[in-house]
Amino acid sequence: MPFGPVMVAPVIMAFGSPEQQKRFLPGIASGEVWWSQGYSEPGSGSDLASLKTRAERKGDKYIVNGQKTWTTLAQYGEWIFCLVRTSTEGKPQTGISFLLIDMKSPGVTVRPIVMLDGEPEVNEVFFDNVEVPAENLIGEENKGWTYAKHLLSHERTNIADVNRAKRELERLKRIARSEGVYEDQRFRDEIAKLEVDVVALEMLVLRVLSAEKSGKNPLDIAGLLKIKGSEIQQRYAELMMLAGGPFSLPFIREAMDAGYRGEYVGAAYPAPLAANFFNMRKTTIYGGSNEVQRNIVSQTVLG
Ligand SMILES: Cc1cc2nc3c(=O)[nH]c(=O)nc-3n(C[C@H](O)[C@H](O)[C@H](O)COP(=O)(O)OP(=O)(O)OC[C@H]3O[C@@H](n4cnc5c(N)ncnc54)[C@H](O)[C@@H]3O)c2cc1C
């Protein structure tokens, strides 16, 4: 799961105190502590800075009230990193803080949302007078927007998910061969176009990573990686479903597990391709919708 290692860890490393680093990073590195992401709220998705969940400072605690939504796999979450409103003065961005909240705290309620594929992958998370020690604040109060943007650029680079695209491309070829559609020139053209885009995406990710290493700030184009990566994910999901034909339809829960190698009549490993196709509709929405990414890239990169 990316929320610990890829999202909150870089923020704690860059902006957390030495005590916070000592306390939180080992559990993330070992994978023992499951983190969730509490950014979006009803009415505050693309317009994230309008978020309303309040954290009021009372002595050495914050009292948190409000609601987050679309919180991925929060039913397993032990900790959640949240953007909370600590001030209503000035621009909306200047009154936001970055708070780490123990999900076992009294007053935290998680309610599942079932998605198109039948899985409760996302949740609503409610905070009702939740007491959070002030020492769980990352960096300075009201500076959370800066930390949030740092995290989002890592999230978007990660969403490009090149390694998965390469693996799924091979799986697409396997299914196409076993279903006979690999012999169809037009279908092979579609696979070839996809392969070209996967290779191009990999080159782009490597360029971003090497530029970051040499101290430039290439994360501005993270939105571009997110746009291309998510479009590729939707294309291979669709091609696999087309190749699987009617065998894509049965929904077999265990087939969602990594390494599943079930036996089916007809095609090799096609289920649950239709469910996967529906699930992949999310990729152009989460992590900041592709429409909004295009706006950001056009403003920051193209000028
Ligand atoms: C499967 C899934 C998992 C998620 N997991 C998490 C999570 O773990 N934690 C979390 O905090 N959030 C999570 N999200 C929320 C996600 O970040 C938001 O859904 C996303 O930012 C879009 O916000 P919204 O849903 O409120 O849509 P809205 O902002 O209401 O957008 C609706 C539509 O309007 C378009 N639009 C909005 N503004 C503009 C604009 N300025 N220009 C052009 N078009 C625009 C959008 O592109 C979209 O098509 C998840 C979402 C999904 C689908």
Side-chain angles (χ1 to χ4, degrees), residues 3 37-41 43-47 69-72 115 121-122 282 285-292 295:
F3 302 104
Q37 178 183 29
Y39 274 26
S40 309
E41 297 182 5
S44 302
S46 302
D47 183 18
T69 193
W70 308 121
T71 321
T72 299
M115 298 203 359
E121 184 177 318
V122 286
K282 69 189 175 187
I285 302 171
Y286 67 18
S289 78
N290 283 20
E291 291 80 12
V292 171
N295 289 346

Side-chain angles (χ1 to χ4, degrees), residues 17 34 39 50 53 69-70 74 114 141 183 190 198 200 257 272 292:
S17 64
W34 187 296
Y39 274 26
S50 69
T53 295
T69 193
W70 308 121
V114 177
E141 200 175 85
E183 305 311 316
E190 291 304 315
V198 172
D257 294 341
V292 171

Side-chain angles (χ1 to χ4, degrees), residues 75-114:
Q75 63 269 44
Y76 305 117
E78 291 162 298
W79 281 80
I80 183 166
F81 52 91
C82 279
L83 294 181
V84 290
R85 183 150 303 284
T86 36
S87 166
T88 47
E89 312 269 301
K91 284 196 336 185
Q93 287 85 346
T94 55
I96 291 172
S97 298
F98 197 105
L99 203 55
L100 311 181
I101 303 178
D102 184 342
M103 290 189 74
K104 291 184 292 303
S105 312
V108 177
T109 308
V110 177
R111 196 192 290 164
I113 304 173
V114 177

Side-chain angles (χ1 to χ4, degrees), residues 36-216:
S36 295
Q37 178 183 29
Y39 274 26
S40 309
E41 297 182 5
S44 302
S46 302
D47 183 18
L48 187 58
S50 69
L51 62 92
K52 294 189 182 59
T53 295
R54 267 199 76 75
E56 270 177 273
R57 180 86 189 237
K58 292 245 166 85
D60 60 355
K61 290 186 187 112
Y62 284 98
I63 309 297
V64 180
N65 280 289
Q67 184 198 339
K68 296 291 171 183
T69 193
W70 308 121
T71 321
T72 299
L73 300 174
Q75 63 269 44
Y76 305 117
E78 291 162 298
W79 281 80
I80 183 166
F81 52 91
C82 279
L83 294 181
V84 290
R85 183 150 303 284
T86 36
S87 166
T88 47
E89 312 269 301
K91 284 196 336 185
Q93 287 85 346
T94 55
I96 291 172
S97 298
F98 197 105
L99 203 55
L100 311 181
I101 303 178
D102 184 342
M103 290 189 74
K104 291 184 292 303
S105 312
V108 177
T109 308
V110 177
R111 196 192 290 164
I113 304 173
V114 177
M115 298 203 359
L116 270 173
D117 64 1
E119 289 289 315
E121 184 177 318
V122 286
N123 298 269
E124 296 177 289
V125 181
F126 298 88
F127 300 93
D128 185 13
N129 285 319
V130 177
E131 293 188 5
V132 181
E135 67 198 31
N136 291 8
L137 177 79
I138 293 286
E140 289 176 51
E141 200 175 85
N142 298 329
K143 294 272 170 64
W145 190 249
T146 309
Y147 317 143
K149 284 195 299 185
H150 182 82
L151 181 146
L152 280 174
S153 56
H154 283 274
E155 176 178 1
R156 288 172 189 151
T157 309
N158 182 57
I159 286 175
D161 223 351
V162 176
N163 33 349
R164 182 151 69 133
K166 286 163 94 174
R167 195 183 65 219
E168 294 296 286
L169 185 66
E170 292 312 311
R171 184 169 167 226
L172 168 63
K173 289 179 189 169
R174 279 205 307 275
I175 294 169
R177 281 199 191 96
S178 76
E179 288 302 298
V181 286
Y182 203 75
E183 305 311 316
D184 181 319
Q185 178 70 48
R186 293 252 160 90
F187 200 86
R188 263 207 324 270
D189 286 349
E190 291 304 315
I191 296 180
K193 276 192 264 175
L194 183 62
E195 185 149 11
V196 169
D197 281 353
V198 172
V199 173
L201 181 68
E202 183 172 28
M203 292 302 138
L204 195 60
V205 170
L206 291 174
R207 277 170 58 191
V208 167
L209 293 179
S210 74
E212 194 183 14
K213 233 179 176 178
S214 58
K216 296 185 195 135

